[in-house]
Amino acid sequence: MITNLLRGAAAFCLVLTPLTLPSPAAMAATTTETAAVTPVPEVLPLEDAVRKEVAAHSTCWAKAGPPPTEGRQAITISERWQQIHALRERGVGLLEYARRLNLALNTVKRYDRVTEPERLIRAPKYRPTLVDPYRDHLRRRRLENPSVPVTHLLQEIRQLGYTGSSNLLVRYINQGRVEADRPALSLRHLSRCLLTRPDRIKDYQRERIEAARTVCQEMTALADLIHRFAVLLDPADGNAALLSTWITAAQTEDLPHLHAFTRGLEKDRAAVNAALTLQHHNGGTEGVNNKPKLIKRQMYGRASFPLLRHRILLG
């Protein structure tokens, strides 16, 4: 994964400052009606940023798959987004949002951050089923005769080797998975395909990325930015300047979660530049430190110290 190559490049220092409580007069002057909270810019690692961007645009790139469900949850999300942005236009603070709507503060921030409610609606998550191997046969039969009874389809695929139930077949058809242009693709799988190093990507992963790029402009920009960032992970002298160009290009795109990743790079820019330009790194040290921890957790409660010492020395 691309994100693993930057781990161990920077060390952070935690500075503890004494806690100062406000005076009673200052606390009394603050009211919940006028309390406004300035949102703290979010900082995300690349893996989380990509996963959230893929999820935010799932209704776009999933157009080639089963249609998103427009049920009670989608209606609730749209109504909640309208309520929060209506309060925002009136100048109400985030804490007051949460109090009036009886929502968690992080939920309010998530709704306040997006520019349209469609980005909060996720594509349906479907797991592989026993019907998947017979999807092409079902699709061909329904194209030939759209009114073919489900019982006939069940008999046909059972002759082909289907061992599932009729309820599973009915649910599969009602979800629109037969008429979809391609089988359902999970958010996690698409994120993993995007984060795979370009020199290690497989043909089926490349096909799924191209399918997402053709139907979603944001996925095209995201895939291009990830590919350009992967090139920078090979240490070279000019990577620091190229990183500045990459950050500028990323911030011009409508990818707010990726912007959170760029903010993290800027906060510790010196360490990031060292990781991208120098051939030396502390990855080996981190690996040596991680190995005893892994062995210890594997043996916890099952063996004694002599065996632990034996595994570490001979491992």
Side-chain angles (χ1 to χ4, degrees), residues 237-252:
D237 294 335
N239 280 353
L242 294 177
L243 178 63
S244 300
T245 305
W246 184 88
I247 292 176
T248 303
Q251 292 176 347
T252 58

Side-chain angles (χ1 to χ4, degrees), residues 3 5 61 77 167 171 253 310:
T3 52
L5 299 179
W61 58 259
I77 290 174
N167 291 335
R171 184 164 62 249
E253 298 292 343
H310 189 73

Side-chain angles (χ1 to χ4, degrees), residues 78-95:
S78 179
E79 293 177 351
R80 185 176 293 173
W81 181 88
Q82 294 175 1
Q83 292 173 351
I84 291 178
H85 281 260
L87 292 175
R88 180 182 182 182
E89 293 177 356
R90 294 165 52 186
V92 181
L94 295 182
L95 283 177

Side-chain angles (χ1 to χ4, degrees), residues 201-214:
I201 193 169
K202 300 180 180 179
D203 293 337
Y204 75 91
Q205 293 176 323
R206 187 176 292 104
E207 292 176 359
R208 291 172 180 176
I209 293 175
E210 291 300 324
R213 290 165 60 104
T214 54

